[in-house]
Amino acid sequence: QQQVKQSPQSLIVQKGGISIINCAYENTAFDYFPWYQQFPGKGPALLIAIRPDVSEKKEGRFTISFNKSAKQFSLHIMDSQPGDSATYFCAVSGTYKYIFGTGTRLKVLA
Amino acid sequence: NAGVTQTPKFQVLKTGQSMTLQCAQDMNHEYMSWYRQDPGMGLRLIHYSVGAGITDQGEVPNGYNVSRSTTEDFPLRLLSAAPSQTSVYFCASSPIRDGTGELFFGEGSRLTVL
């Protein structure tokens, strides 16, 4: 089964710091690379996503960096805030395939 | 606009019982799917559908059935519940028929099988 490897499993960051979460995937049959944010008791919600024709996408404090040749992509959260404390999932998507990473629990200390 | 609605939010079953988790969306999305979320394992695809009358298996389909009689509804049936099916179940839909876009999730159904 195709896998998406996500790291770290958990992350503690001081308020104002940078949070970095990494994902690696195994083949190239994907054309959509999203990150989802999930708060306790809620369903995941799309945070930011990138297509493979660009290497970086920024939306506010959130940036995806994408390395197609290395089959890796990462989420950077700048100026992390306590409200960013949540579980983050990367995913890879191709036709009729949507595979999630195992999640990273982020805690931002006030 | 309600989005994706799941019922029930919580359910306790005994081993061997059957039940149906309901999912409805009001966004006219053709693509719908069911995931289970377990600690340390992320979200795993159970079944998906690309339109009324069309369903297919995902990564972990055993023990589950689905049907899609309308665009709006995509119920998940547990045929004979087992403790290994204790999990949080999420229904998700997408405006992209082949699923390669944003997924809109419901709030989840927490199932415990004793």
Side-chain angles (χ1 to χ4, degrees):
Chain A
Q1 185 62 251
Q2 295 167 343
Q3 289 185 343
V4 177
K5 296 182 179 179
Q6 183 174 345
S7 63
Q9 280 191 319
S10 62
L11 183 61
I12 300 175
V13 174
Q14 293 287 338
K15 179 182 176 182
I18 302 174
S19 303
I20 302 174
I21 306 170
N22 301 298
C23 276
Y25 57 100
E26 292 187 341
N27 70 36
T28 58
F30 304 115
D31 54 13
Y32 183 71
F33 300 86
W35 286 91
Y36 285 82
Q37 181 186 54
Q38 184 182 29
F39 293 105
K42 300 294 185 181
L46 182 69
L47 182 64
I48 186 172
I50 197 168
R51 300 278 180 184
D53 52 343
V54 297
S55 60
E56 186 174 282
K57 182 176 181 180
K58 184 176 181 179
E59 292 184 355
R61 296 184 294 109
F62 303 94
T63 300
I64 296 180
S65 297
F66 181 72
N67 186 330
K68 188 174 181 178
S69 61
K71 299 177 194 171
Q72 295 176 347
F73 59 110
S74 59
L75 174 69
H76 295 235
I77 305 175
M78 311 299 289
D79 187 24
S80 298
Q81 298 296 312
D84 297 331
S85 296
T87 300
Y88 293 81
F89 293 96
C90 64
V92 296
S93 176
T95 304
Y96 305 124
K97 292 184 186 291
Y98 217 112
I99 305 170
F100 285 84
T102 51
T104 296
R105 184 170 293 185
L106 171 65
K107 184 173 178 64
V108 181
L109 301 177
Chain B
N1 190 343
V4 178
T5 303
Q6 292 184 232
T7 57
K9 292 190 183 304
F10 301 94
Q11 183 72 49
V12 178
L13 290 178
K14 294 181 179 178
T15 297
Q17 290 184 317
S18 62
M19 76 157 299
T20 299
L21 300 177
Q22 302 289 346
C23 176
Q25 53 93 8
D26 61 359
M27 298 174 283
N28 202 33
H29 290 171
E30 291 194 76
Y31 182 91
M32 295 186 74
S33 54
W34 276 102
Y35 287 86
R36 59 178 290 173
Q37 183 175 18
D38 302 291
M41 302 191 75
L43 294 140
R44 292 181 293 167
L45 181 64
I46 304 171
H47 286 284
Y48 67 94
S49 169
V50 298
I54 306 171
T55 64
D56 205 348
Q57 296 181 351
E59 180 185 355
V60 288
N62 292 341
Y64 307 95
N65 271 359
V66 292
S67 60
R68 186 93 179 270
S69 57
T70 68
T71 300
E72 294 79 18
D73 300 301
F74 190 44
L76 178 72
R77 297 183 184 84
L78 281 71
L79 309 173
S80 178
S84 61
Q85 294 179 303
T86 293
S87 187
V88 181
Y89 292 85
F90 287 98
C91 179
S93 70
S94 172
I96 309 297
R97 189 171 188 267
D98 68 5
T100 56
E102 178 179 0
L103 289 179
F104 293 81
F105 284 86
E107 295 209 332
S109 298
R110 183 176 293 273
L111 175 67
T112 301
V113 182
L114 303 176

